Amino acid sequence: MKPTDMAKEGTEMTEETEHMIEKNGAKETETVVSAGDAKEMRAVILSGFGGLNKLRVTKKAMPEPQEGEVKIRVKACGLNFLDLMVRQGNIDSPPKTPLVPGFECSGIVEAMGENTKGFEIGDRVMAFVNYNAWAEVVCTPLDYVYNMPDDMTFPEAAAFSMNFVAAYMMLFEVANLREGMSVLVHSAGGGVGQAVAQLCSTIPSVTVFGTASSFKHEAIKDSVTHLFDRNIDYVQEVKKISPEGVDIVLDCLSGENTGKGLGLLRPLGTYILYGSSNMVTGETKSFFSLAKSWWQVEKVNPIKLYEENKVIAGFSLLNLLFKQGRCGQVKTVVEKLFSLYNQKKIKPVVDSLWALEEVKEAMQRIHDRGNIGKLILDVEKSPTPLMASDSTETSEAGEEEEEHEGDNDNKERMPFIQ
Amino acid sequence: MKPTDMAKEGTEMTEETEHMIEKNGAKETETVVSAGDAKEMRAVILSGFGGLNKLRVTKKAMPEPQEGEVKIRVKACGLNFLDLMVRQGNIDSPPKTPLVPGFECSGIVEAMGENTKGFEIGDRVMAFVNYNAWAEVVCTPLDYVYNMPDDMTFPEAAAFSMNFVAAYMMLFEVANLREGMSVLVHSAGGGVGQAVAQLCSTIPSVTVFGTASSFKHEAIKDSVTHLFDRNIDYVQEVKKISPEGVDIVLDCLSGENTGKGLGLLRPLGTYILYGSSNMVTGETKSFFSLAKSWWQVEKVNPIKLYEENKVIAGFSLLNLLFKQGRCGQVKTVVEKLFSLYNQKKIKPVVDSLWALEEVKEAMQRIHDRGNIGKLILDVEKSPTPLMASDSTETSEAGEEEEEHEGDNDNKERMPFIQ
């Protein structure tokens, strides 16, 4: 979808959304009800694309599992950079709002639909969800649900699913990480970065080059062989240490860095574009200028790849799971990762836990690159008193906010909260 | 190098070549001497870029090994599509003419320079050479020389080196061929195609889709799961059998097929461009229109790769060996391949043997896609009587031919010879 189409869809969305709510009846309708009613649950709602003000916690009808689905009482949810892009509507084919964000969670199986062999009520599970994870209860097809290792905590599981699966598939299935190779990863202090570093340490003699904000260096220096400040010229720094370059470049930065990343590859090296955190760094820019940069990524000449013996790849775990139906392959990867976890070779790094009502502060922390490891929404956690009055607001006025384009996000930014 | 630069270099080449010959003295100078003189040897000479008339057999000064080099009494040389591109000068940074073509041979070690541990006189070896293979004697650095398995014949070894190494590295190092995957290979009857098919058969449940001229189907049908005529719409045919596409596409066709190949990939699939046989199919077209197509290959948007979870790679074994210094990695691959050969899991397919003097006929056979498996120059073979008068011609007039552009190649094409 091109930026102009996206904008068009944006204006059409309000009417369509209203229509959708009426048509779908109780399941989709938001209502304000007193807590404790078993037919409802709390969830984070994105009322429209834009800034932090589009998020709030509200009550929604309790979802019930359809055939092949597992109903999970959610304990912890993962928060990803991608969720910030979703909030801004800055993804391909954005879904309609209002929606409940979130793609991963952990919890306890509470009920099952027909044909859900392999699961029992009370199972501790980790799950992928195609939106709707940031809620007290989630239903998702059993293909996306995995029984957790006994020793794994719920926050660990929620920190584990997307980051470790993505890191593993990029390193071992897209690229072919072997002994003696070298890897460059950006945002080495983030969830994926830490997963990459840990997985690299499971292979002998792998050199990891990482970029991260300087204040994180002390905390993560043991996980990365060579650490550079994210604002310096990493190409020069890598070449000082390894003039021939590296075998694998993992790039979540996008755009202008593709050429840099490709240039850093050794022969037979692989550049993987797995996301695009540049997209959300300039949160005060208008939606359109962000969307434009997404489509202006420099293109690659296959002949140059041929001459230089290079590989370029794209990796999107969500597309793989929810558009391309590769659940079987992901399941195999999850099993391998759980085995590594049980052998204590890998362990998700949890940055901090947040109540559902603190989702704005949590997002701001990711945006400001404050985190080391993963941010987790802890569904049973109470919000800190300071934030409670603001964040627990459940007014239904949200729908009307959709037509604001959120250009004034900056004004209402939360202060950085540890 | 762009087409215009290439053309410019072409005109400058004559003078430069003359200069080079004077400067380099005896080693590079061609002389006509009686056979039997130990200081000379027979070699195929390309006098300038162009058609078949640029090739002839002549005597050259006997090369002697420098430090780190092995001197090989050549028994068999491999002939590749790439050699036709070299003949036309249709490669990036073409070398200066006159030159002795050929990148691979097998033979017996006759002498060694200093520091050539690991080799002894009399060793049966397979070798890569950076040009100069099509001769009775070759000197090449020991990094490019491998002791052959005892059971391997010289023609097999010459058929083995480039095709099997390229096929192995593409399938197992660039892509990541595993059980249950599917592979599409063009020119399934050619040297690389047959190597790919055999290597795929070493992994359980791999489906091989191949395209080849119909008359080859009977001969190669057992090596390929699904065989299509090279003139039909293979995209449609593959999709009929496997609607989701394939895991690996190996494309030696180049240009307009990149998009087709990418479109056929399953999620996490890898498209590999490893050469460009389209370049030489229209041998009557002028040099310039050929060169242009090389540079008009459609470019690839990394964002599309991200959305579709796809990988695009280029692979050039010669660049890897001679420009990028990855001999160590190739040596490891050769060892693995020799092990597979010794286990009788793979066996090079030799199409036909040709005397050095029959190189034109051999090239014509590749050009006409007549071969099934590899064409070999058998250095000890005598030319067939019919061709002898034409092909053994060793006149020095070749140098003057350089300024002809070879547009009349077609007129002097050899009839197809089995």
Side-chain angles (χ1 to χ4, degrees):
Chain A
M1 189 183 285
K2 290 175 194 159
T4 45
D5 298 336
M6 235 184 247
K8 193 165 153 251
E9 177 142 318
T11 25
E12 287 166 2
M13 215 170 283
T14 316
E15 293 163 46
E16 283 185 26
T17 305
E18 280 167 14
H19 178 63
M20 185 187 74
I21 290 173
E22 280 174 52
K23 208 175 59 180
N24 290 357
K27 202 182 169 193
E28 292 292 324
T29 310
E30 292 176 38
T31 48
V32 185
V33 204
S34 63
D37 186 330
K39 299 218 163 142
E40 300 201 320
M41 60 150 193
R42 283 157 63 237
V44 174
I45 286 279
L46 180 70
S47 58
F49 299 119
L52 294 170
N53 63 330
K54 304 293 185 189
L55 290 163
R56 67 180 193 287
V57 174
T58 189
K59 295 270 177 183
K60 279 186 65 90
M62 177 66 71
E64 293 304 332
Q66 308 297 305
E67 184 179 342
E69 284 188 351
V70 176
K71 179 181 178 182
I72 301 165
R73 174 66 54 173
V74 178
K75 298 290 182 180
C77 314
L79 213 147
N80 295 293
F81 227 115
L82 185 66
D83 297 311
L84 279 72
M85 293 171 63
V86 168
R87 196 196 72 213
Q88 292 187 314
N90 196 12
I91 54 169
D92 192 38
S93 311
K96 297 188 195 313
T97 52
L99 59 83
V100 176
F103 299 103
E104 58 183 345
C105 65
S106 59
I108 293 172
V109 173
E110 195 167 82
M112 286 105 66
E114 301 283 306
N115 297 319
T116 48
K117 216 181 132 185
F119 292 98
E120 287 180 23
I121 292 171
D123 279 355
R124 301 170 75 243
V125 294
M126 174 179 101
F128 292 111
V129 202
N130 196 6
Y131 295 98
N132 294 313
W134 296 353
E136 286 180 320
V137 178
V138 154
C139 291
T140 194
L142 81 162
D143 281 346
Y144 302 126
V145 186
Y146 318 88
N147 282 303
M148 284 164 52
D150 292 340
D151 292 343
M152 192 178 263
T153 66
F154 289 116
E156 277 183 341
F160 191 84
S161 32
M162 280 187 68
N163 292 355
F164 274 87
V165 170
Y168 186 96
M169 295 189 87
M170 290 193 287
L171 291 174
F172 298 108
E173 308 215 333
V174 177
N176 199 346
L177 181 65
R178 281 159 297 170
E179 187 168 347
M181 283 187 167
S182 52
V183 177
L184 169 67
V185 61
H186 295 293
S187 305
V192 175
Q194 285 293 294
V196 165
Q198 289 187 20
L199 287 169
C200 285
S201 76
T202 66
I203 304 294
S205 309
V206 170
T207 304
V208 181
F209 297 87
T211 68
S213 306
S214 284
F215 76 89
K216 297 184 187 180
H217 286 204
E218 185 57 30
I220 64 171
K221 68 180 189 322
D222 291 341
S223 61
V224 176
T225 323
H226 303 286
L227 204 46
F228 310 122
D229 185 87
R230 59 180 291 267
N231 296 313
I232 65 154
D233 179 353
Y234 60 86
V235 173
Q236 271 208 318
E237 295 302 312
V238 170
K239 289 206 165 166
K240 269 187 215 164
I241 297 164
S242 175
E244 236 205 331
V246 297
D247 293 298
I248 300 173
V249 173
L250 301 175
D251 197 350
C252 58
L253 299 171
S254 165
E256 54 172 338
N257 291 290
T258 305
K260 275 196 198 177
L262 276 173
L264 260 182
L265 286 184
R266 301 177 69 189
L268 299 182
T270 304
Y271 168 93
I272 307 178
L273 177 67
Y274 69 94
S276 169
S277 60
N278 266 356
M279 298 301 118
V280 277
T281 53
E283 226 176 336
T284 53
K285 285 186 201 169
S286 82
F287 172 75
F288 297 106
S289 72
L290 286 165
K292 204 174 164 198
S293 67
W294 179 250
W295 292 98
Q296 282 179 337
V297 171
E298 54 189 312
K299 298 193 179 49
V300 175
N301 187 343
I303 300 297
K304 213 167 151 58
L305 298 176
Y306 164 78
E307 285 167 359
E308 299 185 356
N309 278 305
K310 288 179 177 177
V311 184
I312 176 167
F315 184 77
S316 160
L317 179 57
L318 292 184
N319 284 355
L320 201 68
L321 283 168
F322 300 121
K323 285 189 185 170
Q324 296 158 0
R326 299 301 285 251
C327 306
Q329 197 169 351
V330 171
K331 202 165 200 111
T332 309
V333 169
V334 170
E335 282 160 12
K336 287 179 190 165
L337 285 167
F338 281 170
S339 163
L340 288 171
Y341 178 86
N342 287 330
Q343 296 166 52
K344 300 195 192 309
K345 290 186 174 171
I346 55 175
K347 188 177 174 64
V349 177
V350 175
D351 174 73
S352 48
L353 302 177
W354 306 77
L356 290 185
E357 289 76 5
E358 295 167 332
V359 64
K360 296 181 191 181
E361 294 87 329
M363 276 204 171
Q364 187 66 44
R365 181 164 168 81
I366 291 196
H367 176 272
D368 295 338
R369 299 173 182 276
N371 60 304
I372 293 169
K374 187 88 166 195
L375 280 86
I376 297 294
L377 296 177
D378 179 347
V379 178
E380 292 172 348
K381 183 177 184 285
S382 301
T384 56
L386 180 68
M387 291 295 137
S389 64
D390 174 81
S391 304
T392 52
E393 178 244 339
T394 54
S395 122
E396 285 185 303
E399 268 59 61
E400 280 94 64
E401 290 173 23
E402 274 177 25
E403 283 162 279
H404 307 280
E405 260 308 344
D407 278 341
N408 54 350
D409 291 348
N410 226 17
K411 293 173 198 161
E412 54 139 9
R413 272 194 194 167
M414 296 290 157
F416 173 75
I417 298 163
Q418 176 77 46
Chain B
M1 188 183 287
K2 290 175 195 160
T4 45
D5 298 337
M6 234 184 250
K8 194 166 153 251
E9 178 142 318
T11 24
E12 288 166 1
M13 214 170 284
T14 318
E15 293 163 45
E16 281 186 28
T17 305
E18 281 167 11
H19 178 64
M20 183 189 74
I21 291 172
E22 281 174 50
K23 211 173 59 179
N24 289 356
K27 201 180 170 193
E28 291 292 324
T29 309
E30 291 177 40
T31 47
V32 186
V33 205
S34 62
D37 186 331
K39 299 216 164 144
E40 301 201 321
M41 59 151 193
R42 282 156 63 238
V44 174
I45 287 280
L46 181 71
S47 59
F49 299 118
L52 293 170
N53 63 330
K54 304 292 186 188
L55 290 163
R56 67 179 193 288
V57 174
T58 188
K59 295 270 177 184
K60 279 185 66 91
M62 177 67 69
E64 292 305 331
Q66 308 297 305
E67 185 179 341
E69 284 189 351
V70 176
K71 179 181 178 183
I72 301 165
R73 175 64 54 173
V74 178
K75 299 290 181 180
C77 314
L79 214 146
N80 296 291
F81 227 115
L82 185 66
D83 298 310
L84 278 71
M85 293 172 62
V86 168
R87 195 197 71 213
Q88 292 187 316
N90 196 11
I91 53 170
D92 191 39
S93 311
K96 297 189 195 311
T97 52
L99 59 82
V100 176
F103 298 104
E104 59 183 344
C105 65
S106 59
I108 293 173
V109 174
E110 195 167 83
M112 288 105 67
E114 299 284 306
N115 297 318
T116 48
K117 216 182 133 185
F119 292 97
E120 287 180 26
I121 291 171
D123 279 355
R124 300 169 76 244
V125 293
M126 173 179 101
F128 292 111
V129 202
N130 196 6
Y131 295 98
N132 294 312
W134 296 353
E136 286 180 320
V137 178
V138 154
C139 291
T140 194
L142 81 163
D143 281 347
Y144 303 125
V145 186
Y146 317 88
N147 282 302
M148 284 163 53
D150 293 340
D151 291 344
M152 192 178 263
T153 66
F154 290 116
E156 276 182 341
F160 192 84
S161 32
M162 280 187 68
N163 293 356
F164 274 86
V165 170
Y168 186 96
M169 295 190 87
M170 290 194 287
L171 292 174
F172 297 107
E173 309 215 333
V174 177
N176 200 345
L177 180 65
R178 281 160 297 170
E179 188 169 346
M181 284 188 168
S182 52
V183 177
L184 169 66
V185 61
H186 296 292
S187 305
V192 175
Q194 285 294 293
V196 164
Q198 289 188 20
L199 287 169
C200 285
S201 76
T202 66
I203 305 294
S205 310
V206 170
T207 304
V208 180
F209 297 87
T211 67
S213 306
S214 284
F215 76 90
K216 298 185 188 181
H217 286 203
E218 186 57 30
I220 64 171
K221 68 180 190 320
D222 291 340
S223 61
V224 176
T225 323
H226 303 286
L227 205 46
F228 311 121
D229 185 86
R230 60 180 291 267
N231 296 312
I232 66 154
D233 179 355
Y234 60 86
V235 172
Q236 271 208 318
E237 296 301 314
V238 170
K239 288 204 164 166
K240 268 187 216 163
I241 297 164
S242 175
E244 237 205 330
V246 297
D247 293 298
I248 300 172
V249 173
L250 301 175
D251 195 351
C252 59
L253 299 172
S254 166
E256 54 172 337
N257 291 289
T258 304
K260 276 195 196 177
L262 277 172
L264 261 182
L265 286 183
R266 301 178 70 189
L268 299 181
T270 304
Y271 168 91
I272 308 179
L273 176 67
Y274 70 95
S276 170
S277 59
N278 265 356
M279 298 301 116
V280 277
T281 53
E283 224 175 337
T284 53
K285 287 185 198 166
S286 81
F287 172 75
F288 297 106
S289 72
L290 285 165
K292 205 175 166 196
S293 67
W294 179 250
W295 294 97
Q296 282 178 337
V297 172
E298 55 189 311
K299 298 194 178 51
V300 175
N301 187 343
I303 299 299
K304 213 165 151 56
L305 297 176
Y306 163 77
E307 285 166 359
E308 299 185 356
N309 278 304
K310 288 180 178 177
V311 184
I312 176 167
F315 184 78
S316 160
L317 179 57
L318 292 184
N319 284 356
L320 201 67
L321 283 168
F322 300 122
K323 284 188 183 171
Q324 297 158 0
R326 299 300 285 251
C327 306
Q329 198 169 350
V330 171
K331 200 164 201 114
T332 309
V333 169
V334 169
E335 282 159 13
K336 286 178 190 166
L337 285 167
F338 281 170
S339 164
L340 288 171
Y341 178 86
N342 287 330
Q343 296 166 53
K344 302 199 191 305
K345 290 187 174 170
I346 56 175
K347 187 176 174 66
V349 178
V350 175
D351 174 73
S352 48
L353 302 178
W354 306 77
L356 289 185
E357 288 77 4
E358 295 167 331
V359 65
K360 295 181 192 180
E361 294 87 329
M363 276 203 172
Q364 188 65 46
R365 181 164 169 82
I366 292 197
H367 176 272
D368 295 337
R369 298 173 182 278
N371 59 305
I372 293 170
K374 187 88 169 196
L375 279 86
I376 298 293
L377 296 177
D378 178 346
V379 179
E380 292 172 348
K381 183 177 184 286
S382 301
T384 57
L386 181 66
M387 291 294 138
S389 64
D390 176 81
S391 304
T392 52
E393 176 244 341
T394 54
S395 120
E396 284 184 305
E399 267 63 59
E400 279 96 63
E401 290 172 22
E402 274 177 25
E403 281 161 281
H404 305 280
E405 261 307 341
D407 277 341
N408 54 352
D409 291 349
N410 226 18
K411 294 174 198 161
E412 53 141 9
R413 273 195 195 167
M414 296 291 156
F416 172 75
I417 297 164
Q418 175 78 46

